[in-house]
Amino acid sequence: MGKASVGGTAPAGGEKVEVDIYRDTPVRYLGYANELGESFRPMAPKMVVPSYIVSFGYVFADTYSKASKARRSGKTGNEVGKIAVDTLLWQSFASVLIPGFVIHKVVDLGTFATKRMKMSPPVMRFGPTAAGLLAIPFIIHPIDHFVDVVMDNSVRKMW
């Protein structure tokens, strides 16, 4: 999450710092709803699609918010478009697609491992979900950083 404090001011210096509710507050976690869906896939597969709807809803809300703000600030249509595309790509990859893929694979690996090791039924049932849930906090910041680097060296260089 960002460096701005929730409250809108910097901790020192009294300088106003704008808080981005989509990246600097707990609203950011709506983008990770699909990770919960992927974690619970073995136990509640019907949660997966709704979790992606919530996550992509978050992505589209942030994209709309950033584009609207750019338009209100007097940016040209081209600049507004670039901001919208940048936000849509960044959020789609950093909040939904890559984390969803990683958690899906963690759960798959957990399912495979518990079956292969012939673990007890409760471990086979809850272990993969627990592994997926436990992985979430460890993947967030590395994925955000990875997406920043990739976008800085590709799409953002084009414009």
Side-chain angles (χ1 to χ4, degrees):
M1 300 217 306
K3 292 175 176 56
S5 64
V6 177
T9 59
E15 207 175 295
K16 273 276 200 200
V17 174
E18 189 172 337
V19 175
D20 180 345
I21 66 163
Y22 292 98
R23 296 194 191 179
D24 300 328
T25 71
V27 171
R28 172 80 163 102
Y29 297 117
L30 289 174
Y32 299 118
N34 66 302
E35 292 177 49
L36 294 176
E38 288 293 350
S39 293
F40 282 98
R41 182 184 287 270
M43 296 171 51
K46 290 184 179 181
M47 277 183 62
V48 177
V49 170
S51 73
Y52 275 90
I53 291 170
V54 170
S55 291
F56 274 113
Y58 161 83
V59 169
F60 296 135
D62 188 26
T63 301
Y64 178 79
S65 172
K66 300 287 186 306
S68 295
K69 182 179 175 190
R71 190 173 32 255
R72 284 192 308 273
S73 73
K75 298 213 182 291
T76 68
N78 189 38
E79 292 170 316
V80 171
K82 287 178 184 177
I83 289 167
V85 168
D86 186 87
T87 303
L88 181 66
L89 288 174
W90 192 91
Q91 287 288 15
S92 293
F93 283 103
S95 298
V96 183
L97 300 174
I98 296 172
F101 175 79
V102 170
I103 297 302
H104 182 84
K105 290 301 166 194
V106 167
V107 172
D108 275 354
L109 182 61
T111 301
F112 173 79
T114 57
K115 287 180 181 176
R116 178 84 172 181
M117 295 188 297
K118 296 181 170 84
M119 299 189 129
S120 68
V123 172
M124 288 173 53
R125 177 161 168 80
F126 298 109
T129 294
L133 292 172
L134 290 170
I136 293 170
F138 297 102
I139 68 170
I140 292 172
H141 294 297
I143 290 173
D144 286 358
H145 179 70
F146 171 74
V147 173
D148 277 331
V149 169
V150 169
M151 287 191 62
D152 286 346
N153 289 292
S154 62
V155 176
R156 291 175 181 157
K157 270 191 175 180
M158 292 187 319
W159 44 45

